[in-house]
Amino acid sequence: MPYGSQPASGAPYGAQPAAPFPGQPGYPGPAPYAPTPPPSGGKSKGLIVGLAAGAVTLTLLCCGGGLAYVAFNGDEEDPTPAASGSATPGPDGSPSATPSTSGPESGGPDGPSNNNSLTARYASEMSAVCDGGAILNAAPYTAPAGSKAYVFSNSPDRPSSWSQKTISSAKPYYARSADFATVSVIGCLKMVEGSEGAPKKCQYKNSEDKVVTVDYISSRYTLTFHAAQTGEKVGDGGTVTAPAARCPSFISYNKVTMKSYASPDSGTIEAALDRFLK
């Protein structure tokens, strides 16, 4: 059989033909290029969908006006803000993150003195003042007159959960939710322990169209005023009642205890604000 691509004759018997040089006929060409396949061991990351489960409060329509059942979902959780910063070269030339300096600085003799200080992103976060905190980006408090105010209250079922009370937009101290940074006064309503009155029995229909009896309970609250930026107490609003003389058209109640606590009286809250912020 001929060797490589050399002719079958022309070489002496028994002599091996010289190996071809590169470029000559019979010299094997380069191996065909085979691209390296992409790594196939890694798994593609899946998208994780989180279901934000808002607390569902049972709300019923009073039997006096046509019995019905309504369920309201709680507010969604505040979105988590992304940290900001800029890339600057490090000592070895590699980029390193430099924190943004747009926010309030902490530490030092002029820094916040309250360890529970925070920068509010929403009006609801200003309730931290009622838990002993302070709001770094709130308006500074100088005097009651001309101040903007928010009022929050807790409940026996959730003493560390605060709900914002409604204030008439006609009041000079009213501030919209979007204008929370203009607020300098926070009113805190805390229920007086042991002030609950005799429950009023109120009947409603639940989701299964069955009549249920809810204990509607009155109580009293103490109202105190605090400087939003420092948390310091600046005034006392006295006692505010939470009357439960009549069954409300709509009610939120604890499904286990079958109890519902009346809210502080809005008119009494505004009267206390009028006296302090005049």
Side-chain angles (χ1 to χ4, degrees):
M1 176 178 290
Y3 178 79
S5 60
Q6 297 295 326
S9 62
Y13 179 77
Q16 296 294 331
F21 292 97
Q24 290 185 344
Y27 183 81
Y33 172 75
T36 304
S40 59
K43 295 182 179 179
S44 60
K45 298 181 180 179
L47 297 178
I48 301 175
V49 179
L51 298 179
V56 176
T57 303
L58 296 179
T59 306
L60 303 179
L61 179 64
C62 180
C63 54
L67 300 176
Y69 167 84
V70 185
F72 293 97
N73 285 331
D75 294 336
E76 295 181 357
E77 293 184 358
D78 297 337
T80 302
S84 60
S86 59
T88 57
D92 57 352
S94 61
S96 61
T98 301
S100 172
T101 58
S102 58
E105 297 181 356
S106 60
D110 298 329
S113 58
N114 190 327
N115 288 348
N116 294 320
S117 300
L118 60 89
T119 300
R121 300 162 298 174
Y122 311 99
S124 59
E125 291 186 325
M126 300 189 78
S127 65
V129 173
C130 298
D131 281 325
I135 308 301
L136 295 173
N137 56 332
Y141 173 78
T142 54
S147 296
K148 301 293 184 181
Y150 284 158
V151 178
F152 298 91
S153 69
N154 66 357
S155 70
D157 284 340
R158 294 173 294 172
S160 60
S161 178
W162 299 87
S163 60
Q164 187 172 352
K165 308 310 295 181
T166 302
I167 296 175
S168 171
S169 59
K171 297 294 183 179
Y173 44 80
Y174 167 81
R176 298 183 306 166
S177 295
D179 300 329
F180 64 88
T182 66
V183 172
S184 60
V185 173
I186 299 295
C188 300
L189 284 161
K190 295 185 178 181
M191 202 195 92
V192 178
E193 187 176 353
S195 67
E196 297 94 330
K200 183 175 182 61
K201 303 293 183 179
C202 299
Q203 290 189 332
Y204 302 88
K205 276 190 178 181
N206 62 13
S207 58
E208 299 174 352
D209 206 33
K210 294 180 180 179
V211 177
V212 296
T213 300
V214 177
D215 287 340
Y216 190 46
I217 304 171
S218 64
S219 60
R220 297 187 302 276
Y221 288 74
T222 57
L223 175 60
T224 54
F225 298 111
H226 302 259
Q229 196 177 79
T230 64
E232 178 186 3
K233 181 180 176 180
V234 294
D236 196 332
T239 301
V240 176
T241 58
R246 292 183 295 179
C247 296
S249 298
F250 291 91
I251 193 170
S252 299
Y253 68 98
N254 187 307
K255 194 175 181 180
V256 176
T257 64
M258 300 302 293
K259 291 182 179 181
S260 176
Y261 290 86
S263 298
D265 179 56
S266 298
T268 307
I269 293 173
E270 290 187 356
L273 287 167
D274 291 341
R275 290 192 297 269
F276 177 68
L277 303 177
K278 61 182 178 180

